[in-house]
Coordinates of all heavy atoms in Angstrom, one line a residue:
M1 N 0.8 -1.2 0.0 CA 0.0 0.0 0.0 C 0.9 1.2 0.0 O 1.9 1.3 0.7 CB -0.9 0.0 1.3 CG -2.3 0.0 1.0 SD -3.3 0.2 2.4 CE -4.3 -1.2 2.2
D2 N 0.5 2.2 -0.8 CA 1.3 3.4 -0.8 C 0.7 4.4 0.2 O -0.3 4.3 0.8 CB 1.4 4.0 -2.2 CG 0.0 4.5 -2.7 OD1 -1.0 4.3 -2.1 OD2 0.0 5.1 -3.8
T3 N 1.4 5.5 0.3 CA 1.1 6.5 1.3 C -0.2 7.2 1.0 O -1.0 7.5 2.0 CB 2.2 7.6 1.3 OG1 3.5 7.0 1.6 CG2 2.0 8.6 2.4
A4 N -0.6 7.4 -0.2 CA -1.8 8.0 -0.6 C -3.0 7.2 -0.1 O -4.0 7.7 0.4 CB -1.9 8.3 -2.1
D5 N -2.9 5.8 -0.3 CA -4.0 4.9 0.1 C -4.1 5.0 1.6 O -5.3 5.0 2.1 CB -3.7 3.5 -0.4 CG -3.9 3.3 -1.9 OD1 -4.6 4.1 -2.5 OD2 -3.3 2.4 -2.4
L6 N -3.0 5.0 2.3 CA -3.1 5.0 3.8 C -3.7 6.3 4.3 O -4.5 6.3 5.2 CB -1.7 4.9 4.4 CG -1.1 3.5 4.3 CD1 0.4 3.5 4.8 CD2 -1.9 2.5 5.2
L7 N -3.4 7.4 3.6 CA -4.0 8.7 4.0 C -5.5 8.7 3.7 O -6.2 9.2 4.5 CB -3.3 9.9 3.2 CG -1.9 10.2 3.7 CD1 -1.2 11.3 2.8 CD2 -1.9 10.7 5.2
D8 N -5.9 8.2 2.6 CA -7.3 8.1 2.3 C -8.0 7.2 3.3 O -9.1 7.6 3.8 CB -7.5 7.5 0.9 CG -7.1 8.5 -0.2 OD1 -7.0 9.7 0.0 OD2 -6.9 8.0 -1.4
Q9 N -7.5 6.1 3.7 CA -8.1 5.3 4.7 C -8.2 6.0 6.1 O -9.2 5.9 6.8 CB -7.3 4.0 4.8 CG -7.5 3.0 3.7 CD -6.8 1.7 3.9 OE1 -6.0 1.5 4.8 NE2 -7.0 0.8 3.0
L10 N -7.1 6.7 6.4 CA -7.1 7.4 7.7 C -8.2 8.6 7.6 O -8.8 8.8 8.6 CB -5.7 8.1 7.9 CG -4.7 7.1 8.5 CD1 -3.3 7.8 8.5 CD2 -5.1 6.5 9.8
R11 N -8.3 9.2 6.5 CA -9.3 10.3 6.4 C -10.7 9.7 6.5 O -11.6 10.2 7.2 CB -9.2 11.0 5.1 CG -8.0 12.0 5.0 CD -8.0 12.8 3.7 NE -6.8 13.5 3.6 CZ -5.8 13.2 2.7 NH1 -6.0 12.2 1.9 NH2 -4.7 13.9 2.6
A12 N -10.9 8.5 5.8 CA -12.2 7.9 5.9 C -12.5 7.4 7.3 O -13.6 7.6 7.8 CB -12.3 6.7 4.9
L13 N -11.5 6.9 8.0 CA -11.7 6.4 9.4 C -11.9 7.6 10.3 O -12.8 7.6 11.2 CB -10.4 5.7 9.8 CG -10.4 5.1 11.2 CD1 -11.6 4.1 11.4 CD2 -9.1 4.4 11.5
S14 N -11.2 8.7 10.1 CA -11.4 9.9 10.9 C -12.9 10.4 10.7 O -13.5 10.8 11.7 CB -10.4 11.0 10.5 OG -10.6 12.2 11.2
T15 N -13.3 10.4 9.5 CA -14.7 10.9 9.2 C -15.7 10.0 9.9 O -16.7 10.5 10.5 CB -15.0 10.9 7.7 OG1 -14.1 11.8 7.0 CG2 -16.4 11.3 7.4
R16 N -15.5 8.7 9.8 CA -16.4 7.7 10.5 C -16.4 7.9 12.0 O -17.5 7.9 12.7 CB -16.1 6.3 10.2 CG -16.4 5.9 8.7 CD -16.1 4.5 8.4 NE -17.0 3.6 9.2 CZ -16.8 2.3 9.4 NH1 -15.7 1.7 8.9 NH2 -17.6 1.6 10.1
I17 N -15.2 8.2 12.6 CA -15.1 8.4 14.0 C -15.8 9.7 14.4 O -16.6 9.7 15.4 CB -13.6 8.4 14.4 CG1 -13.0 7.0 14.3 CG2 -13.5 9.0 15.9 CD1 -11.5 7.0 14.5
Q18 N -15.7 10.7 13.6 CA -16.4 12.0 13.9 C -17.9 11.8 13.8 O -18.6 12.3 14.6 CB -15.9 13.1 12.9 CG -16.5 14.4 13.3 CD -16.1 14.9 14.7 OE1 -14.9 14.9 15.0 NE2 -17.1 15.3 15.4
D19 N -18.3 11.1 12.8 CA -19.8 10.8 12.6 C -20.3 10.0 13.8 O -21.4 10.4 14.4 CB -20.1 10.0 11.4 CG -19.8 10.8 10.1 OD1 -19.8 12.0 10.2 OD2 -19.8 10.2 9.0
L20 N -19.6 9.1 14.3 CA -20.0 8.3 15.5 C -20.0 9.2 16.7 O -20.9 9.1 17.6 CB -19.0 7.1 15.7 CG -19.2 5.9 14.8 CD1 -18.1 4.9 15.0 CD2 -20.6 5.3 15.0
A21 N -19.0 10.1 16.9 CA -19.0 11.0 18.0 C -20.2 11.9 18.0 O -20.8 12.2 19.0 CB -17.6 11.8 18.0
D22 N -20.5 12.4 16.8 CA -21.7 13.3 16.6 C -22.9 12.6 17.0 O -23.8 13.1 17.6 CB -21.7 13.8 15.2 CG -20.6 14.8 14.8 OD1 -19.9 15.3 15.7 OD2 -20.4 15.0 13.6
R23 N -23.0 11.3 16.5 CA -24.2 10.5 16.8 C -24.4 10.3 18.3 O -25.5 10.4 18.9 CB -24.2 9.2 16.0 CG -25.5 8.4 16.3 CD -25.4 7.1 15.5 NE -25.5 7.4 14.1 CZ -25.4 6.5 13.1 NH1 -25.1 5.2 13.5 NH2 -25.5 6.8 11.9
C24 N -23.2 10.0 18.9 CA -23.3 9.8 20.4 C -23.7 11.0 21.1 O -24.5 11.0 22.1 CB -21.9 9.4 20.9 SG -21.4 7.7 20.5
Q25 N -23.3 12.2 20.7 CA -23.7 13.5 21.3 C -25.2 13.7 21.1 O -25.9 14.1 22.0 CB -22.9 14.6 20.7 CG -23.2 15.9 21.4 CD -22.8 15.9 22.9 OE1 -21.7 15.5 23.3 NE2 -23.8 16.3 23.7
R26 N -25.7 13.5 19.9 CA -27.1 13.6 19.6 C -27.9 12.7 20.5 O -29.0 13.1 21.1 CB -27.4 13.4 18.1 CG -27.1 14.5 17.2 CD -27.7 14.4 15.9 NE -27.4 13.1 15.3 CZ -26.4 12.7 14.5 NH1 -25.5 13.6 14.2 NH2 -26.3 11.5 14.0
L27 N -27.5 11.4 20.6 CA -28.2 10.5 21.5 C -28.1 10.9 22.9 O -29.1 10.7 23.6 CB -27.6 9.1 21.3 CG -27.9 8.4 19.9 CD1 -27.1 7.1 19.8 CD2 -29.4 8.2 19.7
A28 N -27.0 11.4 23.4 CA -26.9 11.8 24.8 C -27.9 13.0 25.0 O -28.5 13.1 26.1 CB -25.5 12.2 25.1
D29 N -27.9 13.9 24.1 CA -28.8 15.1 24.2 C -30.3 14.6 24.2 O -31.1 15.1 25.0 CB -28.6 16.1 23.0 CG -27.3 16.8 23.1 OD1 -26.6 16.7 24.2 OD2 -26.8 17.3 22.1
E30 N -30.6 13.7 23.3 CA -32.0 13.2 23.2 C -32.3 12.4 24.5 O -33.4 12.6 25.1 CB -32.1 12.2 22.0 CG -33.5 11.7 21.9 CD -33.6 10.7 20.7 OE1 -32.6 10.5 19.9 OE2 -34.7 10.2 20.5
N31 N -31.4 11.6 25.0 CA -31.6 10.9 26.3 C -31.9 11.9 27.4 O -32.8 11.7 28.2 CB -30.4 10.0 26.6 CG -30.6 9.0 27.7 OD1 -31.8 8.6 27.9 ND2 -29.6 8.7 28.4
R32 N -31.1 12.9 27.5 CA -31.3 13.9 28.6 C -32.6 14.6 28.4 O -33.4 14.7 29.4 CB -30.2 15.0 28.5 CG -30.2 16.0 29.6 CD -28.9 16.9 29.6 NE -28.2 17.2 28.4 CZ -27.1 16.5 27.9 NH1 -26.8 15.4 28.5 NH2 -26.5 16.8 26.9
S33 N -33.0 14.9 27.2 CA -34.3 15.5 27.0 C -35.5 14.6 27.4 O -36.4 15.0 28.0 CB -34.5 15.9 25.5 OG -35.8 16.4 25.3
L34 N -35.3 13.3 27.0 CA -36.4 12.3 27.4 C -36.5 12.1 28.9 O -37.6 11.9 29.4 CB -36.1 11.0 26.7 CG -36.3 11.0 25.1 CD1 -35.8 9.7 24.5 CD2 -37.8 11.2 24.8
R35 N -35.3 12.1 29.6 CA -35.3 12.0 31.0 C -36.0 13.2 31.7 O -36.8 13.0 32.6 CB -33.9 11.8 31.6 CG -33.3 10.4 31.3 CD -32.0 10.3 31.9 NE -31.3 9.1 31.4 CZ -31.5 7.9 32.0 NH1 -32.3 7.7 33.0 NH2 -30.8 6.8 31.5
Q36 N -35.8 14.4 31.1 CA -36.5 15.5 31.7 C -38.0 15.5 31.4 O -38.8 15.8 32.3 CB -35.9 16.8 31.0 CG -34.5 17.2 31.5 CD -33.9 18.3 30.7 OE1 -34.4 18.7 29.7 NE2 -32.8 18.9 31.3
Q37 N -38.4 15.0 30.2 CA -39.8 14.9 29.9 C -40.4 13.8 30.9 O -41.5 14.0 31.4 CB -40.0 14.4 28.5 CG -39.7 15.5 27.5 CD -39.9 14.9 26.1 OE1 -40.5 13.9 25.8 NE2 -39.3 15.6 25.1
Q38 N -39.7 12.7 31.1 CA -40.2 11.7 32.0 C -40.4 12.2 33.4 O -41.4 12.0 34.0 CB -39.3 10.5 32.0 CG -39.8 9.4 32.9 CD -38.8 8.2 33.0 OE1 -37.6 8.4 32.7 NE2 -39.3 7.1 33.4
E39 N -39.4 13.0 33.9 CA -39.5 13.6 35.2 C -40.7 14.5 35.3 O -41.4 14.5 36.3 CB -38.2 14.3 35.5 CG -38.1 14.8 36.9 CD -36.7 15.5 37.2 OE1 -35.7 14.9 36.7 OE2 -36.7 16.6 37.8
H40 N -40.9 15.3 34.3 CA -42.0 16.2 34.3 C -43.3 15.5 34.3 O -44.2 15.8 35.0 CB -41.9 17.1 33.0 CG -43.1 18.0 32.8 ND1 -43.4 19.1 33.6 CD2 -44.2 17.9 32.0 CE1 -44.5 19.7 33.2 NE2 -45.0 18.9 32.2
L41 N -43.4 14.4 33.5 CA -44.6 13.6 33.4 C -44.9 12.9 34.7 O -46.1 12.8 35.1 CB -44.6 12.7 32.2 CG -44.7 13.3 30.8 CD1 -44.4 12.3 29.8 CD2 -46.0 14.0 30.6
V42 N -43.9 12.4 35.3 CA -44.1 11.7 36.6 C -44.6 12.7 37.7 O -45.5 12.4 38.4 CB -42.8 11.1 37.1 CG1 -42.8 10.7 38.6 CG2 -42.4 9.9 36.2
G43 N -44.1 13.9 37.7 CA -44.6 15.0 38.6 C -46.0 15.3 38.3 O -46.8 15.5 39.2
E44 N -46.3 15.5 37.0 CA -47.7 15.8 36.6 C -48.6 14.7 37.0 O -49.7 15.0 37.5 CB -47.7 16.1 35.1 CG -49.0 16.6 34.6 CD -49.0 16.9 33.1 OE1 -47.9 17.2 32.5 OE2 -50.0 16.8 32.5
R45 N -48.2 13.5 36.8 CA -49.1 12.3 37.2 C -49.3 12.4 38.7 O -50.5 12.1 39.1 CB -48.4 11.0 36.8 CG -49.2 9.8 37.1 CD -48.4 8.5 36.7 NE -49.2 7.3 37.0 CZ -49.2 6.7 38.2 NH1 -48.4 7.1 39.2 NH2 -49.9 5.6 38.3
S46 N -48.3 12.6 39.5 CA -48.5 12.7 40.9 C -49.5 13.8 41.3 O -50.3 13.5 42.2 CB -47.1 13.0 41.6 OG -47.2 13.1 42.9
Q47 N -49.4 14.9 40.7 CA -50.3 16.0 41.0 C -51.7 15.6 40.6 O -52.7 15.9 41.3 CB -49.9 17.3 40.2 CG -48.7 17.9 40.7 CD -48.3 19.1 39.9 OE1 -48.8 19.3 38.8 NE2 -47.3 19.9 40.4
L48 N -51.9 14.9 39.4 CA -53.2 14.5 39.0 C -53.8 13.5 39.9 O -55.0 13.5 40.2 CB -53.2 14.0 37.6 CG -52.9 15.1 36.5 CD1 -52.7 14.4 35.1 CD2 -54.1 16.0 36.4
L49 N -53.0 12.6 40.4 CA -53.4 11.6 41.4 C -53.9 12.2 42.7 O -54.9 11.8 43.2 CB -52.3 10.5 41.7 CG -52.1 9.5 40.5 CD1 -50.8 8.7 40.9 CD2 -53.3 8.6 40.3
A50 N -53.2 13.2 43.1 CA -53.5 13.9 44.3 C -54.9 14.7 44.1 O -55.8 14.6 45.0 CB -52.4 14.9 44.7
K51 N -55.0 15.3 43.0 CA -56.3 16.0 42.7 C -57.5 15.0 42.6 O -58.6 15.3 43.1 CB -56.2 16.8 41.4 CG -55.4 18.1 41.5 CD -55.4 18.8 40.2 CE -54.6 20.1 40.2 NZ -54.6 20.8 39.0
N52 N -57.2 13.9 42.0 CA -58.2 12.9 41.9 C -58.6 12.4 43.3 O -59.8 12.2 43.6 CB -57.7 11.7 41.1 CG -58.8 10.7 40.7 OD1 -59.9 11.1 40.5 ND2 -58.4 9.4 40.7
E53 N -57.7 12.2 44.2 CA -58.0 11.8 45.5 C -58.8 12.8 46.3 O -59.7 12.5 47.0 CB -56.7 11.5 46.3 CG -56.8 11.0 47.7 CD -57.6 9.7 47.8 OE1 -57.6 8.9 46.9 OE2 -58.3 9.5 48.9
Q54 N -58.4 14.1 46.1 CA -59.2 15.2 46.7 C -60.6 15.2 46.2 O -61.6 15.3 47.0 CB -58.5 16.5 46.4 CG -57.3 16.8 47.2 CD -56.6 18.1 46.7 OE1 -57.0 18.7 45.7 NE2 -55.6 18.5 47.5
A55 N -60.8 15.0 44.9 CA -62.1 15.0 44.3 C -62.9 13.8 44.9 O -64.1 14.0 45.2 CB -62.1 15.0 42.8
R56 N -62.3 12.7 45.0 CA -63.0 11.5 45.5 C -63.4 11.7 47.0 O -64.6 11.4 47.3 CB -62.1 10.3 45.4 CG -62.8 9.0 45.8 CD -61.8 7.8 45.8 NE -60.8 7.9 46.8 CZ -61.0 7.8 48.1 NH1 -62.1 7.4 48.6 NH2 -60.0 7.9 49.0
S57 N -62.5 12.3 47.7 CA -62.9 12.6 49.1 C -64.1 13.6 49.2 O -65.0 13.4 50.1 CB -61.7 13.2 49.9 OG -60.6 12.2 50.0
R58 N -64.0 14.6 48.4 CA -65.1 15.5 48.4 C -66.5 14.9 48.0 O -67.5 15.2 48.6 CB -64.8 16.7 47.5 CG -63.8 17.6 48.0 CD -63.5 18.7 47.0 NE -62.4 19.6 47.4 CZ -61.8 20.4 46.6 NH1 -62.1 20.5 45.4 NH2 -60.8 21.2 47.1
V59 N -66.4 14.1 47.0 CA -67.7 13.4 46.6 C -68.2 12.5 47.7 O -69.4 12.4 48.0 CB -67.4 12.6 45.2 CG1 -68.6 11.6 44.9 CG2 -67.2 13.5 44.1
E60 N -67.3 11.7 48.3 CA -67.7 10.9 49.4 C -68.3 11.7 50.5 O -69.3 11.3 51.1 CB -66.5 10.0 49.9 CG -66.1 8.9 49.0 CD -64.9 8.1 49.4 OE1 -64.3 8.5 50.4 OE2 -64.6 7.1 48.8
A61 N -67.7 12.8 50.8 CA -68.2 13.7 51.9 C -69.6 14.2 51.5 O -70.5 14.2 52.4 CB -67.3 14.9 52.2
M62 N -69.8 14.6 50.3 CA -71.1 15.0 49.8 C -72.1 13.9 49.9 O -73.3 14.1 50.4 CB -71.0 15.5 48.4 CG -70.5 16.9 48.2 SD -70.7 17.5 46.6 CE -69.1 17.3 45.9
I63 N -71.8 12.7 49.5 CA -72.7 11.6 49.6 C -73.1 11.3 51.1 O -74.2 11.1 51.4 CB -72.0 10.3 49.0 CG1 -72.0 10.5 47.4 CG2 -72.8 9.1 49.3 CD1 -71.2 9.4 46.7
S64 N -72.1 11.4 52.0 CA -72.4 11.2 53.4 C -73.4 12.3 53.9 O -74.3 12.0 54.6 CB -71.1 11.3 54.2 OG -70.3 10.2 53.9
R65 N -73.1 13.5 53.5 CA -74.0 14.6 53.9 C -75.4 14.4 53.4 O -76.4 14.6 54.1 CB -73.4 16.0 53.5 CG -72.3 16.4 54.4 CD -71.9 17.9 54.2 NE -71.6 18.3 52.8 CZ -70.4 18.3 52.3 NH1 -69.4 18.0 53.0 NH2 -70.2 18.7 51.1
L66 N -75.5 14.0 52.1 CA -76.8 13.8 51.5 C -77.5 12.6 52.2 O -78.8 12.7 52.5 CB -76.7 13.5 50.0 CG -76.3 14.7 49.2 CD1 -76.0 14.2 47.7 CD2 -77.4 15.7 49.2
K67 N -76.8 11.6 52.5 CA -77.5 10.5 53.3 C -77.9 10.9 54.6 O -79.0 10.5 55.1 CB -76.5 9.3 53.4 CG -76.3 8.5 52.1 CD -75.3 7.4 52.3 CE -75.2 6.6 51.0 NZ -74.2 5.5 51.2
S68 N -77.1 11.7 55.3 CA -77.5 12.2 56.6 C -78.7 13.1 56.5 O -79.6 13.0 57.3 CB -76.3 13.0 57.2 OG -76.7 13.6 58.4
L69 N -78.8 14.0 55.5 CA -80.0 14.8 55.3 C -81.2 14.0 55.0 O -82.3 14.3 55.5 CB -79.7 15.8 54.2 CG -78.8 17.0 54.5 CD1 -78.5 17.8 53.2 CD2 -79.4 17.9 55.6
E70 N -81.0 12.9 54.2 CA -82.1 12.1 53.8 C -82.7 11.3 55.0 O -83.9 11.2 55.2 CB -81.6 11.0 52.8 CG -82.6 10.2 52.2 CD -82.0 9.3 51.1 OE1 -81.4 8.3 51.5 OE2 -82.2 9.6 49.9
Q71 N -81.8 11.0 56.0 CA -82.3 10.2 57.2 C -83.0 11.2 58.1 O -83.9 10.7 58.9 CB -81.1 9.6 57.9 CG -80.5 8.4 57.2 CD -79.2 7.9 57.8 OE1 -78.8 8.5 58.8 NE2 -78.7 6.8 57.3
H72 N -82.7 12.4 58.1 CA -83.3 13.4 59.0 C -84.6 14.0 58.5 O -85.2 14.8 59.2 CB -82.3 14.5 59.4 CG -81.2 14.1 60.2 ND1 -80.0 13.6 59.7 CD2 -81.1 14.0 61.6 CE1 -79.2 13.2 60.8 NE2 -79.9 13.5 61.9
T73 N -85.0 13.6 57.3 CA -86.2 14.2 56.7 C -87.3 13.1 56.7 O -87.2 12.0 56.9 CB -86.0 14.7 55.3 OG1 -85.5 13.7 54.5 CG2 -85.1 15.9 55.4

């Protein structure tokens, strides 16, 4: 193999390595973004579960009051 062929192979290898490094960076960025989205969604889910529990408690309290009123009439 002559020097020109070796240089071409080295350039091609360098290009592939740079492409892989770029892809790794994009995947790391995407992974970070997805983790942030997941964290946000988990927090939102927790808030919705708490609101749902509050609503259930209020409905149960209203039902109890209505039953109590019904018994007293």
Side-chain angles (χ1 to χ4, degrees):
M1 238 184 234
D2 66 354
T3 305
D5 288 338
L6 286 175
L7 286 175
D8 288 342
Q9 286 182 354
L10 283 174
R11 285 187 193 107
L13 183 57
S14 176
T15 300
R16 289 183 66 197
I17 290 171
Q18 186 59 49
D19 289 345
L20 286 172
D22 292 344
R23 183 178 293 173
C24 284
Q25 184 60 51
R26 283 192 311 270
L27 289 172
D29 293 343
E30 182 180 359
N31 191 30
R32 186 171 25 275
S33 175
L34 289 171
R35 287 183 189 273
Q36 288 173 346
Q37 287 177 22
Q38 180 184 21
E39 186 177 317
H40 173 75
L41 290 172
V42 165
E44 188 176 333
R45 180 181 183 271
S46 176
Q47 290 175 350
L48 290 172
L49 287 172
K51 285 182 181 181
N52 189 36
E53 180 61 28
Q54 287 176 347
R56 188 185 63 76
S57 294
R58 288 179 184 164
V59 168
E60 287 178 354
M62 281 190 256
I63 290 171
S64 293
R65 285 194 302 267
L66 287 172
K67 284 182 180 179
S68 175
L69 287 173
E70 188 177 77
Q71 290 174 357
H72 288 88
T73 56

